[in-house]
Amino acid sequence: MVNSPHEAMHRIFQQYPDLFSGVSEVLGIDFPPPTSITVLPNDLTETSPVERRVDTLLRLDTEYAEPLLLAVEAQGKKDPDKPASWAYYASYLLTKYRLQPLLLVVCQDRATAQWAAREVSFGPRQWPLLTLRPLVAGPHNMPVLTDPAEVRKDLALATLSAITHAKHPDAGVILKSMTTVLRDTPQGVANPIIELISQGLGKYPAARQWRKLVAVDLSFYKSPLSEEIRDEGRAQGEARRAAEDVLDILDVRGIDVPEAVRERITGCGDPEILRHWLRRAVTAPSAEDIFTDQ
């Protein structure tokens, strides 16, 4: 028994499924007549918990305007499923917080950024129900900051710019401008930036450039990255000295060292292995024999 206008206004479409064709004609929207109509379950509750997390969510309060919800998503590649997820986030956030949501997508790849920036409509083409319009920050629109004076004006923006331009041909110059400014920046401000850029550059070649610049330009800073770099430097120095000791012993003993053996010794970065080879070099009858146990 239908007992409210709310129920009647939607259940009538269950009772008379062809009704939508007449309604769309009245509204002046040209939908083709359906060839089949199926009444589906109307319960949209997810039967099992589904974890949905936006990367970062911020509430932005201003003095004169209504607060905004800013959802920030980092996107590494094109994903045809993402626009629907983003639309879900926006709808959910609006429902939960009753504040207008805004989506910012951050990319390091130009093609991905251009893909993410497209407007995506949901619903039939004759009458889209929703249109998703993300803001996108990426290598196509973030400034290329190679002048320390420009970096100094806004360190946060400069940090994001350095991350989004991880594949830029002038990445080394961009990163050098960062360390130039960070040398004169209080440690409490500089250290998080050092770590953020390190994380942001990931496995791109620019990450190696950044580590070298931090080791040379910011060697006096005590951050996890700088400590890691210094530890690596100490280990490399120890390995280099151990390799020289192995070669010196062989040389003093008058044992010829083939080039392949020399390269294997100098190319070894494990001090423990090199110490083992050093002990073997004292008695081994040939250079090759240091690699075997007798």
Side-chain angles (χ1 to χ4, degrees):
M1 179 70 177
V2 176
N3 56 16
S4 76
H6 172 86
E7 293 289 315
M9 284 188 293
H10 71 81
R11 285 200 177 186
I12 191 172
F13 287 89
Q14 297 179 21
Q15 189 71 28
Y16 305 101
D18 286 328
L19 177 60
F20 178 68
S21 292
V23 171
S24 63
E25 183 178 347
V26 170
L27 296 177
I29 306 170
D30 182 25
F31 286 98
T35 58
S36 175
I37 298 174
T38 303
V39 178
L40 299 175
N42 67 336
D43 187 352
L44 303 183
T45 304
E46 295 173 346
T47 56
S48 59
V50 177
E51 184 174 318
R52 299 183 187 273
R53 291 179 182 272
V54 66
D55 288 341
T56 288
L57 179 62
L58 304 172
R59 170 178 167 146
L60 306 181
D61 290 290
T62 64
E63 187 175 356
Y64 302 109
E66 180 185 6
L68 291 176
L69 290 177
L70 176 63
V72 184
E73 285 275 285
Q75 191 65 26
K77 61 181 180 179
K78 298 178 184 178
D79 181 350
D81 295 330
K82 266 299 181 179
S85 295
W86 292 337
Y88 174 90
Y89 296 163
S91 178
Y92 178 84
L93 290 172
L94 179 59
T95 302
K96 181 175 182 178
Y97 294 99
R98 298 298 176 181
L99 294 173
Q100 295 302 321
L102 190 63
L103 172 65
L104 173 64
V105 183
V106 182
C107 307
Q108 291 176 301
D109 176 73
R110 182 178 293 270
T112 302
Q114 291 172 340
W115 163 82
R118 298 175 309 158
E119 289 189 4
V120 179
S121 295
F122 301 91
R125 61 176 178 78
Q126 301 94 331
W127 195 266
L129 174 65
L130 298 171
T131 299
L132 181 72
R133 299 180 62 202
L135 293 173
V136 178
H140 66 303
N141 59 8
M142 285 290 97
V144 178
L145 301 178
T146 58
D147 182 353
E150 293 299 314
V151 170
R152 194 170 277 108
K153 289 179 182 178
D154 191 334
L155 270 174
L157 178 64
T159 300
L160 178 63
S161 177
I163 292 171
T164 56
H165 289 297
K167 298 195 292 184
H168 195 282
D170 292 330
V173 182
I174 296 170
L175 297 175
K176 178 65 177 178
S177 69
M178 291 296 305
T179 57
T180 298
V181 172
L182 292 177
R183 277 202 303 264
D184 304 324
T185 302
Q187 188 171 344
V189 175
N191 283 352
I193 292 175
I194 294 171
E195 302 303 322
L196 278 170
I197 294 177
S198 177
Q199 294 168 11
L201 296 178
K203 296 183 179 179
Y204 289 114
R208 292 193 296 273
Q209 294 176 292
W210 180 242
R211 295 174 74 86
K212 291 178 181 176
L213 285 168
V214 170
V216 174
D217 293 352
L218 307 175
S219 58
F220 50 89
Y221 280 125
K222 301 250 183 229
S223 70
L225 176 62
S226 59
E227 287 299 311
E228 180 183 335
I229 291 171
R230 281 192 280 274
D231 288 343
E232 288 178 0
R234 285 191 287 269
Q236 290 170 0
E238 183 180 349
R240 185 174 58 254
R241 289 188 295 272
E244 292 171 353
D245 290 342
V246 173
L247 293 173
D248 286 344
I249 291 293
L250 294 173
D251 181 58
V252 169
R253 294 184 60 212
I255 294 178
D256 181 62
V257 180
E259 189 60 31
V261 173
R262 184 179 299 274
E263 289 179 359
R264 183 174 176 183
I265 294 171
T266 58
C268 180
D270 188 330
E272 187 60 35
I273 292 175
L274 286 163
R275 280 192 289 270
H276 173 71
W277 291 347
L278 180 61
R279 290 191 293 269
R280 295 284 303 128
V282 175
T283 59
S286 71
E288 291 86 348
D289 286 327
I290 69 170
F291 304 131
T292 61
D293 290 317
Q294 294 181 342

